[in-house]
């Protein structure tokens, strides 16, 4: 198997250097480029075609949010997944980055082994953290849902798919979903595949957001 190609985006050279050392020491990962601001990140992404982009939020010239939106909207970079770097677990920009197309977020004080596993999981299209952590993040910032006004996307879902989406928004893992619905994990994965296609979602993180936006899950007060 070829290495997972990683692009590092942060305006702090020392942090980029440290991240590069950790990533390049892993047998299945390789840093293919670095950028110090969002504009450079977009250019470097197009030049290097990375699998995963570690994206800082607050940067000069073009911030990580705008860079994420441009990268995720670029058909040439359809295979790239953005993993947002954040100083705080409940950074308001993280939610906005997820809406822009990012696949998850990582705290900058994460342990090296957490960083490496986060990159691998992002590359596989999984939600970055345990669903409960991602759910708490989204619940803190999503606008109050309006269940009396169902979104058009929900009308395309079967009753079972709505059930699955609701439970995903509630933070359940695949195993927990299987137990709750009394179906196999394989069937759960099949439902998730259908949800990703019908909702035009890049990964599980975006399904959590879709569940909140559709009013299937209420933000926690």
């Amino acid at each position: 198997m070829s290495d997972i190609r990683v692009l590092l985006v942060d305006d702090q050279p020392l942090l980029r250097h440290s991240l590069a050392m950790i990533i390049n020491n892993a047998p299945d990962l390789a840093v293919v480029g670095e950028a110090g601001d969002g504009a450079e990140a977009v250019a470097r992404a197009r030049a290097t075609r990375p699998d995963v982009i570690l994206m800082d939020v607050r940067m000069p010239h073009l911030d990580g949010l705008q860079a994420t939106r441009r990268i995720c909207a670029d058909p040439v970079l359809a295979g790239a997944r953005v993993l947002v770097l954040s100083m705080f677990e409940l950074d308001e920009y993280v939610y906005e980055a997820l809406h822009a197309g990012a696949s998850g977020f990582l705290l900058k004080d994460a342990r090296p082994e957490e960083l490496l596993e986060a990159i691998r999981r992002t590359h596989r299209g999984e939600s970055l953290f345990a669903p409960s952590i991602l759910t708490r993040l989204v619940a803190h910032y999503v606008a109050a849902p309006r269940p009396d006004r169902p979104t058009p996307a929900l009308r395309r879902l079967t009753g079972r798919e709505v059930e699955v989406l609701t439970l995903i928004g509630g933070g359940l893992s695949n195993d927990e979903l299987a137990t709750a619905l009394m179906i196999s994990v394989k069937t759960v994965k099949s439902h998730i595949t259908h949800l990703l296609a019908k909702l035009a979602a890049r990964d599980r993180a975006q399904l959590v957001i879709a569940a909140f936006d559709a009013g299937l899950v209420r933000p926690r007060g």
Side-chain angles (χ1 to χ4, degrees):
M1 295 180 62
S2 58
D3 290 342
I4 298 173
R5 299 163 53 82
V6 181
L7 174 65
L8 300 178
V9 184
D10 196 287
D11 61 348
Q12 300 180 37
L14 184 59
L15 179 58
R16 294 202 309 270
H17 178 73
S18 299
L19 291 172
M21 289 183 62
I22 295 170
I23 293 168
N24 284 329
N25 279 333
D28 57 336
L29 308 176
V31 174
V32 295
E34 298 183 15
D37 61 58
E40 186 182 3
V42 175
R44 293 296 293 157
R46 289 171 177 161
T48 61
R49 305 291 178 87
D51 299 308
V52 176
I53 302 169
L54 287 183
M55 180 75 73
D56 189 19
V57 176
R58 297 183 177 93
M59 295 181 294
H61 307 306
L62 188 74
D63 65 28
L65 175 59
Q66 296 177 73
T68 295
R69 185 175 291 110
R70 293 186 187 184
I71 288 170
C72 293
D74 191 338
V76 174
L77 300 174
R81 297 184 182 276
V82 177
L83 178 56
V84 174
L85 292 168
S86 174
M87 286 295 296
F88 306 104
E89 187 171 311
L90 292 179
D91 186 331
E92 62 183 3
Y93 293 110
V94 175
Y95 174 70
E96 295 300 328
L98 290 174
H99 250 312
S103 297
F105 75 98
L106 178 68
L107 298 179
K108 286 187 176 180
D109 62 357
R111 297 190 301 273
E113 58 271 21
E114 292 175 331
L115 166 69
L116 300 178
E117 185 58 20
I119 293 171
R120 297 182 183 112
R121 289 183 62 181
T122 300
H123 179 56
R124 293 197 298 264
E126 300 177 12
S127 56
L128 175 55
F129 288 108
S132 60
I133 297 177
L134 181 59
T135 299
R136 188 171 70 250
L137 172 75
V138 177
H140 188 82
Y141 289 105
V142 74
R146 295 173 294 180
D148 57 319
R149 296 178 61 184
T151 61
L154 280 188
R155 300 192 185 99
R156 298 197 297 269
L157 305 183
T158 66
R160 178 61 96 183
E161 287 167 349
V162 172
E163 278 188 284
V164 172
L165 182 62
T166 301
L167 294 175
I168 288 174
L172 272 65
S173 66
N174 285 359
D175 288 341
E176 291 168 335
L177 278 165
T179 299
L181 299 175
M182 293 184 289
I183 58 179
S184 69
V185 173
K186 181 178 180 180
T187 301
V188 168
K189 292 180 178 178
S190 177
H191 284 311
I192 291 174
T193 298
H194 293 155
L195 284 169
L196 291 171
K198 289 184 177 182
L199 298 178
R202 290 167 64 92
D203 50 33
R204 194 188 189 100
Q206 303 241 302
L207 292 182
V208 174
I209 293 173
F212 277 91
D213 283 347
L216 299 176
V217 183
R218 287 281 185 179
R220 298 168 188 174

